[in-house]
């Protein structure tokens, strides 16, 4: 064919692909209206009509609840805050165990630790990278109180199976849909299918407000608890008449009026952005599916994938080439946003050394022998294999790809696959 760019040949893609940017005149107009009003936030950390925030925050929440088809949507200043609030709202106590995937962003697990509860890692499916319900079931023990599912890369996790398990063992299911706003299962939105879920609005995601997040739930009590944890619960519960004050230690997780105004303009764009991600991803699947030893997404038509990331797995043994060499060769051909791995949270120093709050191993030191499975290498072999050698991805919310760009990316893959012998 032709010389690989990494060996001095001409790269397949020699043009600049524009960055993904969802901001436009609508957001500019929304922000200027807020600034002109002088009212940039209206939250009050007391039992008052402003306890639930300013007019735009409340309007955005109503709009989000209608959009996602849930009873309650609550804005927060980040989805990390949303996760912390959701775990606290679910009544998770010190020493309770929460089952979580290791193949995610760290906040899914640290939100559990923040309540001095113990994260227990279960393994993922090799095809959708989400929690494997069979592995979850095996990880359930006498201290298990909840499951934290993650709709990783935009693929909805198997919430119907997880909810069935939860019902049997009386657990709560929290869904981290940070990467899957607009993804669906059988017509219903990912994130809305378990007891409580939500979305990130940070600037890396499909739609954003710079920083921000939305918690969604159909459960009145969970919604009330989130509203309290978001806004100085301890100073509010008495006048509110709240009887159960477990975990009513509040934070300031409040969203401002500017973010809410931007968020409403962004929500109007979500449907279009997700369907364009999915159709670009389908084009790429069509081009790449014939390449040997490369697994591209394959999901049923009942699922709508949000494709935050285009995930792939390599059979590096059969290819006879290491992942990093393939990634370097693809990058040299001009393929943007390509990367390997994806962390395994249990292998981070915080879990390996059990140093979280203070130097004395808290919270683990207070609950000796837990989690039973430990955090050693080998507890989640599928996730570890993906991290160590098989997983590769293209960020779909990093660049504003056209169909021509996608075709060129596939040409770069074909070139690297044809010339793979030169990479050894
Ligand atoms: C982005 C992300 C978060 C955190 O969201 P922030 O809004 O950045 O706090 C949590 N979980 C996953 C899977 C994410 O991708």
């Amino acid at each position: 064919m032709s010389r690989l760019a990494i060996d001095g040949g001409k790269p397949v893609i020699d043009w600049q692909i524009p960055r993904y940017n969802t901001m436009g005149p609508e957001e500019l107009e929304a922000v200027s209206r807020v600034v002109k009003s002088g009212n940039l936030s209206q939250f009050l950390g007391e039992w008052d009509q402003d306890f639930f925030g300013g007019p735009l925050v409340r309007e955005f929440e109503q709009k989000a609840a209608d959009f996602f088809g849930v009873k309650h949507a609550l804005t927060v200043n980040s989805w990390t805050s949303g996760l912390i609030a959701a775990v606290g709202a679910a009544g998770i106590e010190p020493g309770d165990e929460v089952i979580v995937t290791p193949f995610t962003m760290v906040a899914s697990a640290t939100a559990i630790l923040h309540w001095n509860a113990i994260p227990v890692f279960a393994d993922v499916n090799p095809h959708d990278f989400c929690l494997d319900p069979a592995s979850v079931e095996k990880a359930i023990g006498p201290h298990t109180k909840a499951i934290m599912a993650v709709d990783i890369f935009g693929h909805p996790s198997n919430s119907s199976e997880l909810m069935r398990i939860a019902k049997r063992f009386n657990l709560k299911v929290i869904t981290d849909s940070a990467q899957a706003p607009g993804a669906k299962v059988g017509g219903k939105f990912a994130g809305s299918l378990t007891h409580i879920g939500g979305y990130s609005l940070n600037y890396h995601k499909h739609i954003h407000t710079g920083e921000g997040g939305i918690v969604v739930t159909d459960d009145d009590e969970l919604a009330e608890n989130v509203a309290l944890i978001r806004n100085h619960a301890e100073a509010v519960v008495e006048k509110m008449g709240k009887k159960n004050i477990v975990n009513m230690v509040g934070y300031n997780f409040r969203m401002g009026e500017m973010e809410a105004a931007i968020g409403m303009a962004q929500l109007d764009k979500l449907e279009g952005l997700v369907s364009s991600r999915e159709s670009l991803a389908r084009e790429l699947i069509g081009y790449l599916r014939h390449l040997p030893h490369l697994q591209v997404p394959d999901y049923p038509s009942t699922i709508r994938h949000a494709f935050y990331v285009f995930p792939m797995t390599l059979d590096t043994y059969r290819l006879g080439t290491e992942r990093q060499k393939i990634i370097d060769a693809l990058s040299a051909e001009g393929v943007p946003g390509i990367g390997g791995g994806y962390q395994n949270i249990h292998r981070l120093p915080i879990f390996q050394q059990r140093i979280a709050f203070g130097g004395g191993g808290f919270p683990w030191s207070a609950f000796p022998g837990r989690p039973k499975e430990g955090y050693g290498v080998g507890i989640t072999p599928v996730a570890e294999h993906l991290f160590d050698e098989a997983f590769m991805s293209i960020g779909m919310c990093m660049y504003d790809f056209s169909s021509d760009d996608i075709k060129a990316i596939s040409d770069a893959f074909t070139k690297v696959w044809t010339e793979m012998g030169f990479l050894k």
Side-chain angles (χ1 to χ4, degrees):
M1 200 175 166
S2 57
R3 195 136 60 103
L4 289 171
I6 201 165
D7 292 331
K10 185 178 159 347
V12 175
I13 302 169
D14 60 0
W15 58 91
Q16 205 69 38
I17 298 176
R19 304 290 300 190
Y20 181 78
N21 179 11
T22 62
M23 294 296 137
E26 305 80 9
E27 287 75 11
L28 192 59
E29 200 275 320
V31 170
S32 88
R33 239 183 317 124
V34 176
V35 173
K36 279 182 196 152
S37 80
N39 184 12
L40 274 63
S41 181
Q42 201 177 309
F43 270 102
L44 198 63
E46 290 173 23
W47 187 230
D48 180 274
Q49 58 177 354
D50 288 340
F51 169 71
F52 293 103
L56 296 177
V57 160
R58 287 195 240 178
E59 191 184 335
F60 181 29
E61 291 178 343
Q62 190 54 56
K63 190 167 170 155
D66 294 343
F67 182 89
F68 292 111
V70 291
K71 199 163 168 199
H72 305 278
L74 294 108
T75 55
V76 273
N77 60 354
S78 77
W79 174 235
T80 299
S81 303
L83 284 166
I84 294 171
V87 174
I92 301 306
E93 301 199 11
D96 284 349
E97 293 183 357
V98 179
I99 297 170
V100 61
T101 159
F103 204 57
T104 178
M105 188 259 172
V106 286
S108 323
T110 54
I112 299 162
L113 270 182
H114 275 287
W115 296 97
N116 297 310
I118 309 286
V120 175
F121 294 98
D123 213 348
V124 300
N125 293 309
H127 58 279
D128 64 16
F129 316 106
C130 297
L131 271 180
D132 170 8
S135 177
V136 169
E137 206 165 331
K138 262 191 258 160
I140 293 173
H143 305 286
T144 311
K145 289 289 155 57
I147 300 165
M148 169 79 73
V150 183
D151 298 336
I152 200 72
F153 310 132
H155 189 293
S157 41
N158 189 346
S159 45
S160 59
E161 193 57 26
L162 294 175
M163 286 298 274
R164 202 184 57 76
I165 294 169
K167 195 165 179 193
R168 195 141 58 85
F169 294 92
N170 193 27
L171 312 174
K172 285 275 192 286
V173 184
I174 300 162
T175 301
D176 176 350
S177 293
Q179 303 184 358
K184 287 182 183 172
V185 183
K188 291 209 165 126
F189 282 104
S192 74
L193 300 162
T194 58
H195 296 107
I196 188 164
Y199 316 100
S200 170
L201 294 171
N202 93 26
Y203 73 102
H204 298 288
K205 304 289 162 58
H206 291 80
I207 58 169
H208 75 102
T209 58
E211 303 289 348
I214 310 174
V215 182
V216 293
T217 182
D218 286 327
D219 185 304
D220 296 341
E221 197 189 348
L222 287 174
E224 181 176 271
N225 292 350
V226 167
L228 281 157
I229 292 167
R230 167 175 74 176
N231 189 13
H232 306 292
E234 66 287 348
V236 182
V237 286
E238 193 168 23
K239 279 199 185 147
M240 188 191 212
K242 177 133 182 108
K243 294 285 176 301
N244 180 359
I245 64 161
V246 168
N247 290 351
M248 288 298 115
V249 184
Y251 293 87
N252 175 349
F253 287 162
R254 310 174 323 197
M255 176 177 272
E257 293 285 282
M258 277 202 295
E259 288 78 4
I262 294 173
M264 283 189 265
Q266 289 279 287
L267 194 56
D268 288 337
K269 299 180 180 178
L270 180 61
E271 201 55 33
L273 290 166
V274 171
S275 52
S276 63
R277 295 311 92 192
E278 194 179 37
S279 67
L280 291 165
R282 282 184 181 283
E283 289 169 23
L284 195 53
I285 291 169
Y287 292 130
L288 300 184
R289 70 181 341 146
H290 309 293
L291 291 181
H293 316 308
L294 176 76
Q295 180 69 46
V296 291
D298 181 14
Y299 56 99
S301 60
T302 48
I303 281 180
R304 188 221 210 164
H305 198 313
F307 283 105
Y308 176 63
V309 158
F310 186 88
M312 295 162 272
T313 50
L314 296 164
D315 186 338
T316 50
Y317 178 77
R318 291 238 162 76
L319 286 166
T321 310
E322 288 166 34
R323 175 177 61 191
Q324 195 54 50
K325 287 190 175 154
I326 297 173
I327 289 172
D328 291 346
L330 289 165
S331 293
E333 297 300 337
V335 175
I338 186 134
Y342 204 68
Q343 65 196 339
N344 276 183
I345 294 182
H346 63 294
R347 288 158 76 174
L348 294 174
I350 186 172
F351 292 105
Q352 289 304 305
Q353 298 174 38
R354 297 190 184 216
I355 300 292
F357 299 103
F362 194 79
W364 299 281
S365 52
F367 308 99
R370 296 210 278 122
K372 179 165 66 39
E373 305 71 8
Y375 297 128
V377 173
I379 55 170
T380 54
V382 176
E384 288 168 25
H385 176 70
L386 290 167
F387 171 70
D388 289 337
E389 49 183 295
F391 187 75
M392 186 169 82
S393 65
I394 296 176
M396 297 296 286
C397 293
M398 293 171 75
Y399 294 90
D400 187 11
F401 296 115
S402 67
S403 289
D404 288 344
D405 298 329
I406 294 293
K407 173 71 172 71
I409 288 172
S410 85
D411 291 344
F413 270 76
T414 304
K415 182 178 171 190
V416 169
W417 253 247
T418 309
E419 308 295 315
M420 189 76 75
F422 292 101
L423 289 179
K424 282 172 192 159

